[in-house]
């Protein structure tokens, strides 16, 4: 085997690496210690254009056959350096990166140890790279259909952007109507736009667009495949209504005799029928029968909806339907859940009648809500004379959620405004820790509330109680907090308390990540590819995220992310083909004994078994290169491209360069 | 069931009624208590305010003896004793330095304690969790029908929660459930876990009396016949200082303060004598006459008005 | 992470408070000044400074004012603050540390907290000499020192009732292993009262 000519480049990364690792020592040592190294340099910023040119020139002038860059994580710049190699005519899989930043200089302050480790890592990379073979990326076609999961404002935006650009979209929504949380709101901050007025036109467009297939009251059951080629199974839950016949007249809903508390759209503040549409402007307009509470499904009686329907659209025998679709990309826009304030017993939610959650209050002030927009106490009749709004409920609290929910200060101010508007004589108190108003027009909105006469008390509420200590407090809810700007404890008796609960991930977020094979963080929010530079992609190719499912955010940010995800997908569709990493497994079929151990090990279902020849085969396109089958094969005849045994063992021996065999065996 | 038992100074005299009733009731449930031999005062909330290491050493001597007696679990009836023992064990486990120093001090007296050797539990915990509501109900002879009790937990049993409290730190319900199982009508009151003031009576009597007033007022406002408690300090404060509260604020509270073990004993058919009833300064005699042979009438279902908005549902209630 | 532990410079008052609080990191540096502690405290309205204000003062290094404040002495250690603190700061434990530091410094005597520590000191005196607490003795000595007239009120008020009901010892009890206990306490004091 002719000797390879390896170029080693040790990056300073400013002081990130050079501050701890003696980079020039490492470079010099690499040149002297390893026979294969033809060139060894150190440079301040290898990823810069000058740094890359250094590599390219050396390849051309020195005839390098392999390149090693010792720098940051391959997640950061493997692509960058591979590009440099390709430009100079060297196959990019003849390149290897040694991570001496995240794995070394950022892991310790001990300079000596860090330098030693860097040398070992570089040596390992060199020994590995000489074992590597050239590989070619695999082209994959992108199916032009896109699946969008979640019909809230982020999902609707993404769907419309893609559809208007001429692409076909399947929009799946689990509730009977699209609209999400935004449809529940009355006014939106800071402009006080009517939420329904700005949302319903978009809902209408999404529901009637030629390029959008809307599947409401449906859920994704399984996802298989890879970018450009996802096979998705969607369960269309039985609405008990024939959509071809239904005209949306609403008579069935009127006639239905059973009403239940509406926990979803009315946030528990109002009722809905069992045969219902979540709200009058629902898209699609078809009602749905809640079989769990329906008299017919429970006892066989009633059937009023069926008999009153003028077009015979009620079909009790309708069953769930499963659709299988192929899409190229998926955008998840599944939204958020509101923090359940019952978890904080000292705030009394659920124990005292006149304490309301934020979504309950939203529904109350909504003109189409259970009180037609009147602010009243839980008896439905009495007007409160004083209202307290409690910020940071379940947020910024290590006992519940440590993060700040971003939108609550603004919506709390909005509530204060609505109280002033509808109850001009009422006193309104906002209890806060910090006033967070970072968006456009937000601080000005805060000033408006100051002008309107809101009493702002800087103090996190300790508890809300009805235990009166004197006559002023009888029959009131007493909010106790320290007014930190004065430095005394205050008890403010009010008639109504609104808890500004925080934003949480959906309760089934973890299950969703498992379904789509991407990840979520400890709070359940989906993990983006890069928190600063790529908030809409995930680590799984072809799956994107948008809106509150990625983290708490308001409507403008959700719309922006929805549009961004759509743009990314549109770009992929336009390209038509995507190049996939050739890091895949390959079964030597001559040597395969047909034991099939690998078949069930594959998490991507990428191995097929040929009964006629009694051998297994890896479907290259489905394989994600995880290496499980490679390790599992008892005959050792599955090889992982770019992770062959020779490559991995050389790397290990390279790391152990300074450990003599005697030491190991002793 | 066998447990180590740490009575604490108050159970000897001031809260002897608690002692009596606890022994009577636990015997009925086949619980055997092995008293910590020659136990010393736990220091209450006083020693820890003066000097840290001696305070912890004082407490741990008891833990060491309990461990030597091979008591896997140590039960305390007094809330302060309970918290002190639990905290000492917990912090010794958390801090290597503290553990080392305390054991050095204990060695001077011939003792040694390995944190975690003894599990410290409160009396209410073992009765609620180990004995259980069903077992209690089986032995009831004289249910406390129509007696309105306000269960008062004080502050040191529900809190701090981090060391594995057995009930909610804001709104505990274990004693409520026991009282309900005894047939009594439980009067729920928001200040059930508020502080009685502890030794505040000696620092600033005004502040202390106000704290007691709040609790008495709240229980009275909610129509309780008597307050049921689990801490000797709370019993003493609310009982002995009730007259002072009335004098200072011009109120007329007349709320007897009994221990939850006394209530259990009554329901089990034991005599007032053997349960120490009569030792309380605000006499419980009148309140106990409210106990009726008849169970209370089923509360009429309150129909909410047509316009009323639905309420969120709380699981615990 | 306790910043105090890793620094090379001389410890500040803040560091002292943190280092003297037992059982691991009390997280005092995480205080957001939200006021939940001050809002929850049952004796809060009667304190010189709310616990929150006190923490701001500790941060500012105002050692003298902090140790002369009556705040730690008005703490009834009900733990409401500690369980509600959103940053999980061990507030009650820190207040106990301040009690101990105030006694060591000793300059609380001409402040609003003047006779507060007296009760605790009297209490432990009896514990150290008998191994058990002795309520009558403690009350008597404490009140005689600070407000003797009160003794009359108590004696004729519930004091008499307590005696008649057999709920009060008029003589102290002594444990058998008192010598051993005293040896333990002596050693503990020698080792230094820090965690």
């Amino acid at each position: 085997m002719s000797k390879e000519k390896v170029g080693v480049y040790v990056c300073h990364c400013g002081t990130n690496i050079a501050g701890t690792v003696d980079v020039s020592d490492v470079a010099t040592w690499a040149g002297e210690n390893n026979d294969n190294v033809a060139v060894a340099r150190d440079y301040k910023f290898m990823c810069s254009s000058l740094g890359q040119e250094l590599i390219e020139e050396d390849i051309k002038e020195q005839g390098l056959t392999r390149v090693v860059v010792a720098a940051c994580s391959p997640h950061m710049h493997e692509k960058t350096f591979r590009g440099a190699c390709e430009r100079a005519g060297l196959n990019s899989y003849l390149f290897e990166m040694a991570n001496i930043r995240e794995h070394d200089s950022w892991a310790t302050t001990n300079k000596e140890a860090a330098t030693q480790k860097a040398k070992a890592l570089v040596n390992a990379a060199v020994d590995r790279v000489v074992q590597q073979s050239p590989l070619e990326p695999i082209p994959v076609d992108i199916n032009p259909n896109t699946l969008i999961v979640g019909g809230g404002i982020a999902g609707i935006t993404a769907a419309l952007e893609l559809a208007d650009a001429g692409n076909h979209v399947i929009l799946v929504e689990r509730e009977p109507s699209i609209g999400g949380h935004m449809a529940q709101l009355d006014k939106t901050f800071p402009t006080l736009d009517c939420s329904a007025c700005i949302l319903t036109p978009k809902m209408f467009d999404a529901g009637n667009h030629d390029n959008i297939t809307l599947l409401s009251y449906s859920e994704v059951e399984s996802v298989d495949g890879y970018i450009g080629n996802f096979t998705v199974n969607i369960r269309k839950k039985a609405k008990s209504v024939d959509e071809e016949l239904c005209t949306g007249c609403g008579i069935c809903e009127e006639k239905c005799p059973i009403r239940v508390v509406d926990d979803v759209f009315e946030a528990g503040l109002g009722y809905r029928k069992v045969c219902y549409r979540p709200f009058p402007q629902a898209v699609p307009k078809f009602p749905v029968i809640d079989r769990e509470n329906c008299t017919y499904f429970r006892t066989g009686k009633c059937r009023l909806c069926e008999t009153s329907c003028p077009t015979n659209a009620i079909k009790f025998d309708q069953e769930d339907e499963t659709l299988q679709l192929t899409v190229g990309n998926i955008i998840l826009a599944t939204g958020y859940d509101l923090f359940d304030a019952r978890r904080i017993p000292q705030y009394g939610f659920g124990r005292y009648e006149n304490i309301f959650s934020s979504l309950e209050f939203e529904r109350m002030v909504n003109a189409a809500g259970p009180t037609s927009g009147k602010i009243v106490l839980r008896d439905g009749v009495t007007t409160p004379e004083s209202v307290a709004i409690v910020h940071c409920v379940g947020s910024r609290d290590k006992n519940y959620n440590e993060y700040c929910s971003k939108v609550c200060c603004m919506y709390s101010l909005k509530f204060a405004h609505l109280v002033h508007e509808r109850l001009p004589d009422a006193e309104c108190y906002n209890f806060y820790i910090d006033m967070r108003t970072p968006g456009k027009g937000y601080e000005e909105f805060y000033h408006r509330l100051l002008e309107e006469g809101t009493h702002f008390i800087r103090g996190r509420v300790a508890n809300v109680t009805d235990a009166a200590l004197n006559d002023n407090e009888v029959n009131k809810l007493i909010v106790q907090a320290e007014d930190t700007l004065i430095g005394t404890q205050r008890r403010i008796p009010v008639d109504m308390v609104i808890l500004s609960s925080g934003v949480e991930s959906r309760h089934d977020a973890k299950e969703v990540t498992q379904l789509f094979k991407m990840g979520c963080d400890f709070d359940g929010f989906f993990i983006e590819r890069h928190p600063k530079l790529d908030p809409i992609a995930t680590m799984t190719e072809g799956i994107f995220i948008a809106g509150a499912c990625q983290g708490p955010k308001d409507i403008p940010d959700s719309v922006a992310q929805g549009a961004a995800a759509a743009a990314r997908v549109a770009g992929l569709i336009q390209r038509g083909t995507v190049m996939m990493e050739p890091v895949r497994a390959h079964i030597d079929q001559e040597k395969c004994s047909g034991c099939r151990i690998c078949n069930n090990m594959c998490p991507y279902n990428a191995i097929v078994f040929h009964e006629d020849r009694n051998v297994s085969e890896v479907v290259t396109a489905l394989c994600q290169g995880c290496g499980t089958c490679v390790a599992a094969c008892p005959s050792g005849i599955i090889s992982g491209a770019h992770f062959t045994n020779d490559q991995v063992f050389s790397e290990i021996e390279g790391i152990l360069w300074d450990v003599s065999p005697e030491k190991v065996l002793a | 069931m066998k447990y180590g038992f740490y009575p604490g100074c108050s159970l000897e005299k001031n809260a002897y009624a608690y002692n009596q009733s606890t022994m009577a009731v636990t015997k009925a449930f086949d619980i055997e208590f092995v008293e910590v031999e020659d136990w010393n005062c736990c220091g209450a909330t006083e020693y820890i305010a003066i000097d840290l290491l001696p305070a912890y050493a004082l407490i741990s001597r008891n833990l060491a003896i309990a461990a030597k007696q091979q008591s896997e679990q140590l039960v305390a009836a007094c809330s302060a004793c309970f918290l002190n023992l639990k905290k000492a064990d917990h912090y010794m486990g958390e801090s290597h330095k503290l553990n080392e120093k305390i054991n050095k001090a204990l060695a001077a007296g011939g003792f040694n304690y390995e944190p975690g050797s003894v599990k410290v539990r409160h009396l209410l915990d073992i009765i609620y969790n180990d004995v259980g509501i069903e077992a209690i109900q089986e032995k009831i002879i004289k249910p406390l029908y129509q007696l309105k009790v306000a269960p008062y937990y004080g502050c040191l049993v529900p809190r701090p929660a981090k060391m594995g409290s057995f009930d909610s730190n804001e709104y505990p319900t274990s004693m409520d459930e026991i009282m309900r199982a005894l047939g009594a009508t439980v009067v729920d009151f928001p200040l059930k876990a508020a502080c009685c003031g502890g030794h505040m009576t000696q620092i600033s009597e005004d502040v202390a009396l106000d704290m007691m007033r709040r609790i008495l007022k709240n229980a009275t406002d909610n129509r309780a016949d008597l307050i049921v408690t689990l801490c000797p300090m709370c019993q003493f404060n609310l009982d002995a200082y009730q007259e002072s509260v009335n004098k200072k604020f011009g109120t007329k509270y007349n709320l007897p303060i009994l221990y939850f073990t006394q209530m259990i004993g009554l329901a089990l058919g034991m005599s007032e004598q053997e349960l120490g009833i009569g030792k309380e300064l605000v006499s419980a005699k009148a309140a106990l006459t409210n106990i009726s042979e008849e169970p209370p009438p089923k509360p009429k279902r309150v129909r909410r008005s047509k316009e009323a908005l639905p309420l969120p549902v709380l699981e615990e209630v | 992470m306790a910043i105090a532990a890793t620094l090379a410079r001389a410890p500040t008052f803040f560091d002292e408070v943190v280092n003297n609080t037992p059982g691991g990191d009390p997280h005092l540096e995480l205080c957001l000044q939200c006021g939940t502690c001050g809002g929850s405290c049952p004796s809060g309205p009667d304190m010189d400074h709310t616990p929150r204000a006190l923490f701001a003062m500790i941060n500012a290094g105002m050692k003298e004012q902090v140790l002369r404040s009556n705040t730690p002495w008005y703490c009834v250690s009900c733990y409401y603050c500690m369980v509600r603190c959103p940053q999980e700061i061990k507030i009650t434990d820190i207040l106990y540390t301040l009690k101990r530091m105030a006694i060591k410094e000793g300059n609380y005597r001409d402040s609003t907290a003047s006779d507060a520590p007296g009760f605790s000191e009297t209490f432990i005196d009896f514990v150290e000499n008998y191994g058990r607490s002795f309520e009558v003795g403690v009350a008597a000595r404490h009140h005689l020192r600070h407000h003797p007239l009160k003794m009359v009120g108590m004696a004729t008020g519930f004091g008499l009732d307590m005696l008649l009901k057999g709920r009060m010892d008029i003589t102290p009890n002594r444990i058998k292993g008192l010598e051993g206990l005293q040896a333990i306490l002596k050693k503990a004091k020698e080792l230094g009262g820090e965690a």
Side-chain angles (χ1 to χ4, degrees), chain A residues 269 342 346 378 468-469, chain B residues 170 214 217 309-310 313 316:
Chain A
L269 197 72
R342 286 176 292 191
Q346 63 267 33
R378 198 70 76 159
L469 289 186
Chain B
E170 296 280 346
R214 288 176 215 170
K217 176 173 170 29
L309 302 165
V313 175
E316 45 158 83

Side-chain angles (χ1 to χ4, degrees), chain B residues 14 38-39 41 46-48 50 52-53 87 91 97 159 162 169-170 193 202 205 235 239 278-279, chain C residues 42 78-80 83-84 88 93 96 100 103 120 128 131-133 143 150 165 167 176-177 192-193 195:
Chain B
N14 185 344
D38 202 30
W39 54 269
C41 174
E46 314 308 335
Y47 217 131
I48 195 110
I50 307 292
L52 184 81
L53 224 54
K87 229 172 150 186
Y91 280 175
K97 216 160 107 186
R159 300 183 290 279
K162 285 294 149 66
N169 49 350
E170 296 280 346
Q202 311 306 314
E205 194 170 304
Q235 200 284 337
D239 188 22
K279 289 241 161 81
Chain C
C78 75
Y79 291 91
Y80 260 139
V83 301
R84 290 176 181 172
E88 295 184 341
D93 292 342
Y96 271 124
R100 297 190 291 268
I103 289 185
S120 302
E128 287 176 353
R132 298 277 174 89
S133 73
H143 288 297
K150 207 143 171 241
K165 296 268 183 185
R167 284 171 68 176
K176 284 190 242 146

